[in-house]
Amino acid sequence: MINSFIRKLTVGEKLIFFSGKLLLKIGSWILAYKKFGFWQLHYNKLELKKIEVAFDGKELCYKTKDFTALARRFASDSLVFEGVMMEEEYKAAVDIFLLNNIPIKSFLDLGSNIGLTSVYVKNKFPDAMVIAIEPDKDNYEMMLRNFELNKLTNISPLMAGVGATDSFLEMNGAFRDEQQWALSFKEVSYPTDILSYSISTILKTYSIDEVDFIKMDIEGAEKEIFDDGADMSFLKKVKVLAIEIHDEFDIRNNIYRKLTDNDFVIFNSNETTIAVKRNLILHTSRPEQYKIHN
């Protein structure tokens, strides 16, 4: 069809047509070169949000009146910054507490990456006790630097993973876009440098009888945590859970079932599934704001 269309064009129109195709291809090459297209869009978003950024060629330092955040240029850190700080992907979960004057006293940041969700939550609830868990050494070190820059207190960083049981982990590579925010680990039966803890062990270790908010973005390890036969007792102690479910593992329906069996109601906010204890929904002043799946 396209060939018959081109044949009907005049010589001048053909010249314009093919020149346009060439310019589009050149433009796509330019945009793809060292992610120039991403950085152009990223810079435009920063301008709109009035976020200051300093750049030394290797790292970016974002600054607002509320927080400071470091990000590696050659990593997925700037994408994490956009999601957590600019698009506020956990706002729907945090608003459950803010809009109903319920304090977050305890927060588990499972799969903390470079720590920006912990910074976000601490900005809203400075008195919250935070446990931030990240298994990757490079991400963990960036997380510590971000915590230090923001002078966070009452926060416990832990370089470890999270799983169904206490075990050891080994790097399993990365999936999806194969960047630092998609690093996957697998449980192994032999000792390694990376420990993994169950959520029940974490709560017991830090003497937490009730946890207000858990964020879980653990690159597929949720499959084992919510597997049939796994210990679900920790769910009785949780008010709100925000989880990214990785559909590559075909586990969404099973997780939904486990959550509803433990008296949660569920709604989705973009790519994040948010589960709220039913009694908390019933006692909030604006339950109509949630799209609930029963």
Side-chain angles (χ1 to χ4, degrees):
M1 180 177 177
I2 187 68
N3 289 333
S4 63
F5 169 77
I6 294 171
R7 281 197 296 269
K8 300 292 185 182
L9 299 177
T10 66
V11 173
E13 288 171 334
K14 286 178 182 176
L15 179 63
I16 293 170
F17 179 85
F18 287 110
S19 296
K21 288 195 71 173
L22 179 60
L23 289 172
L24 284 173
K25 187 166 286 288
I26 292 171
S28 67
W29 288 336
I30 292 171
L31 291 174
Y33 179 71
K34 293 190 176 180
K35 298 184 179 179
F36 179 80
F38 165 75
W39 292 116
Q40 183 185 44
L41 291 172
H42 188 63
Y43 181 77
N44 291 342
K45 292 176 184 178
L46 293 173
E47 280 197 319
L48 287 172
K49 294 278 187 178
K50 295 182 170 55
I51 297 174
E52 296 180 11
V53 60
F55 180 43
D56 65 5
K58 292 184 178 180
E59 290 184 350
L60 299 96
C61 182
Y62 303 98
K63 287 187 178 181
T64 73
K65 63 182 179 61
D66 297 319
F67 59 80
T68 302
L70 288 175
R72 295 162 291 185
R73 175 185 180 182
F74 299 108
S76 53
D77 300 357
S78 292
L79 290 167
V80 175
F81 179 82
E82 281 195 9
V84 175
M85 296 304 199
M86 297 172 68
E87 298 169 7
E88 296 188 87
E89 61 185 299
Y90 295 104
K91 185 178 187 300
V94 171
D95 275 354
I96 293 168
F97 297 91
L98 284 173
L99 296 175
N100 297 286
N101 297 314
I102 302 170
I104 293 180
K105 297 178 182 178
S106 54
F107 171 53
L108 265 61
D109 190 354
L110 307 181
S112 186
N113 195 262
I114 60 171
L116 298 187
T117 308
S118 291
V119 173
Y120 180 82
V121 171
K122 286 289 279 185
N123 180 253
K124 307 291 185 183
F125 295 93
D127 296 329
M129 189 259 299
V130 173
I131 301 166
I133 299 179
E134 169 58 41
D136 179 71
K137 183 175 182 292
D138 293 336
N139 288 343
Y140 178 79
E141 290 175 353
M142 286 296 294
M143 177 177 76
L144 295 181
R145 292 174 65 193
N146 278 319
F147 291 170
E148 184 178 359
L149 273 176
N150 289 278
K151 298 180 172 58
L152 300 188
T153 59
N154 198 20
I155 190 163
S156 299
L158 180 64
M159 194 175 80
V162 182
T165 61
D166 300 342
S167 60
F168 295 97
L169 295 180
E170 186 175 75
M171 175 75 78
N172 195 30
F175 62 102
R176 291 189 174 177
D177 60 5
E178 299 187 352
Q179 295 197 58
Q180 286 78 4
W181 63 352
L183 295 176
S184 175
F185 294 80
K186 63 179 180 180
E187 291 188 13
V188 293
S189 58
Y190 46 85
T192 68
D193 293 334
I194 308 172
L195 294 173
S196 177
Y197 300 103
S198 69
I199 297 175
S200 293
T201 293
I202 295 166
L203 296 179
K204 182 178 179 181
T205 300
Y206 290 93
S207 302
I208 300 174
D209 295 323
E210 183 179 56
V211 58
D212 294 305
F213 181 27
I214 293 180
K215 166 227 151 179
M216 187 183 296
D217 186 2
I218 51 179
E219 308 310 325
E222 68 272 14
K223 179 180 185 297
E224 282 72 35
I225 291 175
F226 287 91
D227 198 14
D228 292 338
D231 178 14
M232 296 280 104
S233 62
F234 73 92
L235 288 175
K236 300 184 185 303
K237 303 178 180 182
V238 182
K239 290 181 181 177
V240 175
L241 170 68
I243 177 172
E244 181 171 345
I245 299 173
H246 296 80
D247 288 317
E248 295 90 333
F249 302 99
D250 192 25
I251 51 177
R252 184 173 295 273
N253 289 337
N254 187 50
I255 291 176
Y256 282 180
R257 179 171 57 82
K258 296 291 175 61
L259 290 172
T260 53
D261 285 350
N262 282 275
D263 210 28
F264 286 90
V265 292
I266 304 164
F267 66 98
N268 290 314
S269 176
N270 296 321
E271 294 184 1
T272 302
T273 294
I274 299 174
V276 186
K277 271 290 168 60
R278 187 175 299 275
N279 64 347
L280 189 62
I281 285 285
L282 293 175
H283 289 88
T284 56
S285 59
R286 296 174 60 192
E288 71 280 358
Q289 69 184 301
Y290 309 121
K291 181 181 178 182
I292 297 172
H293 299 265
N294 286 307

